[in-house]
Amino acid sequence: MALVEVKVPDIGDFDEVTVIELMVKVGDTIKAEQSLITVESDKASMEIPSSTAGVVKELRVKLGDKVKQGSVVLVLEASGAVSAPAEVPAVAAPATAPAVQSEPVAAPANVASVSVTSSTVAAAPAHNPGAPTLGLPHASPSVRKFARELGVPLEEVKGNGPKGRISQDDVQAFTKAVMAGAMQTKAQADKAPAGGDGAALGLIPWPKVDFAKFGPIERKEMGRIKKISGANLLRNAIMIPAVTNHDDADITELEAFRVSTNKENEKSGVKVTMLAFLIKACVAALKKYPEFNSSLDGDAIVYKNYWHIGFAADTPNGLMVPVIRDADKKGILQISQEMGELAKKARDGKLGPAEMTGATFTISSLGGIGGKYFTPIINAPEVAILGVCKSTQEPVWDGKQFVPRLMLPLSLTWDHRVIDGAAAARFNAYLGQILGDFRRVLL
């Protein structure tokens, strides 16, 4: 038996690529052309196969290593005679493009050159490609990016492609299953129950109480939406230094205009709500004060040149936040129509992940229920959220006398790391001016 070094072949224009998956281990018996490792550039991933059969005696690479043409991948004990080194095409992983962006795929590379001296050929059992592989999940760079954007733990997704490769469809199916409550991520399963002991924060233990000893009780499991959102709300409430400003906006004329608009468009079936005007007004305020349309990224602030507005929708299963995309490019009627469609899908449990991601600012409205003011929790990675309560008729001094005006309570919560108090006060005041005279949106 001869020892054979399997090396990285010509990988095209890339000086170095990263090892993202080890598909074999020491002691495995492999066939010729069986994939050994997966390497990844910033454009694509590719598998490096072996040109000879044998038993793995030594692995020369580990996860995260940078390799280049000629780097030794592993040492094989060849199981038979091997001809002169041949160039076998590597299997290039298709970069399945996510809905928002596509990525080019690198051309297939030529694979491993092997230096050998050996004899007799013997058939060797194939390594089972369907068995769990070592290291990172088996997916293309674009699928990894898509999973990161959705916050999906890729290592928990079952791939249905060749050799268990994970596709964009697999990621979407996993997300839908989690949202439907059919499964939980490991993080959800491992996290402490509601009101955990707080030990990680250095807090005293959460009280353990046998409530039944004080009287009859009924225990019900939390709904799936609350289970999913609870961890995010807790993180945001603890980690964001949030401050809330309260103010009132005079919407007397705007409400009259909204009522007359609905009468004029009664046959269209589109009902205009005050929230539609709020979305449009917030876009104008966000453009004037762009720090409210940003996100923190380490020590940098990312200013977004798009305006996607999330709105909290009350559903039988809990609160959900659909997103109106490119609200700056849409009129009140179109926003109202989209809001109605998204709210219905939320109530029916049919909202897709893409319809709940990408918001730059969120509005949480309790207008149809009541209340005066509240302190909404920021929806990270956003830096601000607007809370709105029920409008009421109030006496307002006009300089000569008190007159009845319809006043809308506004509660603006903001991240003090990005926004200061003066900017928040100006944002709220400007938003009130727009709602008081909607013609300012045109300026």
Side-chain angles (χ1 to χ4, degrees):
M1 297 286 182
L3 294 181
V4 177
E5 287 186 340
V6 179
K7 299 178 181 179
V8 176
D10 179 6
I11 52 177
D13 297 331
F14 304 106
D15 293 332
E16 289 186 328
V17 290
T18 304
V19 177
I20 63 168
E21 183 177 18
L22 302 176
M23 305 175 74
V24 296
K25 61 183 181 296
V26 174
D28 279 359
T29 302
I30 63 171
K31 278 186 173 182
E33 299 186 22
Q34 179 179 324
S35 296
L36 305 174
I37 64 171
T38 303
V39 295
E40 182 179 74
S41 70
D42 59 346
K43 298 297 184 183
S45 61
M46 63 192 78
E47 296 174 8
I48 305 297
S50 176
S51 60
T52 187
V55 177
V56 180
K57 303 301 291 181
E58 181 184 355
L59 279 174
R60 295 282 183 87
V61 295
K62 59 183 183 297
L63 288 176
D65 279 359
K66 298 286 187 180
V67 296
K68 57 185 178 180
Q69 182 180 352
S71 297
V72 177
V73 175
L74 52 76
V75 177
L76 283 178
E77 184 178 89
S79 58
V82 181
S83 58
E87 291 193 344
V88 183
V91 182
T96 307
V100 294
Q101 183 177 348
S102 61
E103 298 186 4
V105 182
N110 289 329
V111 102
S113 60
V114 229
S115 54
V116 300
T117 58
S118 62
S119 52
T120 41
V121 177
H127 172 69
N128 180 7
T133 57
L134 304 175
L136 297 179
H138 197 26
S140 69
S142 62
V143 171
R144 294 177 191 282
K145 180 180 179 182
F146 182 63
R148 286 195 300 270
E149 289 172 347
L150 295 182
V152 171
L154 204 57
E155 65 276 6
E156 297 179 35
V157 179
K158 181 181 182 300
N160 292 302
K163 300 183 181 178
R165 180 172 290 278
I166 299 169
S167 68
Q168 182 175 323
D169 290 340
D170 295 328
V171 174
Q172 290 174 328
F174 179 86
T175 306
K176 289 178 181 177
V178 171
M179 294 300 293
M183 67 168 63
Q184 284 187 322
T185 64
K186 187 177 185 299
Q188 291 171 328
D190 291 347
K191 74 180 180 69
D197 61 17
L201 300 175
L203 305 178
I204 62 174
W206 191 264
K208 301 288 186 181
V209 180
D210 180 9
F211 301 105
K213 72 180 182 181
F214 302 111
I217 65 170
E218 182 181 2
R219 184 181 179 87
K220 292 184 178 180
E221 291 298 318
M222 291 177 66
R224 59 185 174 82
I225 300 299
K226 290 185 178 179
K227 286 181 180 179
I228 293 169
S229 61
N232 287 325
L233 291 170
L234 178 62
R235 176 201 62 198
N236 297 348
I238 291 175
M239 295 187 66
I240 299 175
V243 184
T244 303
N245 284 39
H246 303 292
D247 212 334
D248 295 314
D250 187 338
I251 59 168
T252 309
E253 279 76 24
L254 185 58
E255 173 62 9
F257 176 66
R258 185 189 73 83
V259 172
S260 65
T261 299
N262 279 334
K263 287 182 179 178
E264 293 171 3
N265 291 276
E266 191 172 358
K267 294 182 180 179
S268 70
V270 178
K271 183 179 179 181
V272 177
T273 65
M274 185 55 66
L275 185 54
F277 287 103
L278 270 167
I279 289 174
K280 202 67 179 173
C282 283
V283 169
L286 292 170
K287 286 188 173 183
K288 186 173 179 66
Y289 300 99
E291 62 265 41
F292 289 82
N293 202 59
S294 69
S295 287
L296 268 177
D297 185 12
D299 293 330
I301 299 176
V302 178
Y303 293 88
K304 300 158 193 171
N305 295 320
Y306 54 90
W307 293 267
H308 301 341
I309 310 298
F311 66 96
D314 189 23
T315 77
N317 296 318
L319 203 63
M320 304 185 78
V321 186
V323 178
I324 300 291
R325 285 182 142 64
D326 299 315
D328 59 311
K329 302 175 183 176
K330 297 171 182 175
I332 297 296
L333 291 177
Q334 185 178 355
I335 290 174
S336 298
Q337 182 177 358
E338 284 192 24
M339 281 176 52
E341 293 169 353
L342 289 169
K344 183 179 186 306
K345 291 176 76 173
R347 290 191 298 270
D348 295 341
K350 295 180 179 178
L351 273 180
E355 294 170 311
M356 294 187 288
T357 56
T360 60
F361 185 83
T362 296
I363 301 174
S364 179
S365 175
L366 303 177
I369 303 172
K372 187 65 176 176
Y373 303 105
F374 67 107
T375 53
I377 297 175
I378 296 170
N379 186 21
E382 299 162 38
V383 296
I385 182 172
L386 179 69
V388 184
C389 288
K390 187 176 183 179
S391 57
T392 56
Q393 289 285 350
E394 297 180 11
V396 177
W397 183 254
D398 68 355
K400 297 180 180 179
Q401 60 184 341
F402 284 101
V403 293
R405 304 294 292 179
L406 187 63
M407 306 301 292
L408 181 68
L410 305 175
S411 299
L412 178 70
T413 298
W414 39 279
D415 188 334
H416 211 335
R417 296 172 298 178
V418 179
I419 299 161
D420 58 35
R426 292 188 187 100
F427 183 97
N428 246 1
Y430 183 68
L431 184 60
Q433 291 172 7
I434 293 174
L435 294 172
D437 185 356
F438 214 72
R439 291 173 298 181
R440 291 175 183 270
V441 170
L442 302 175
L443 300 177

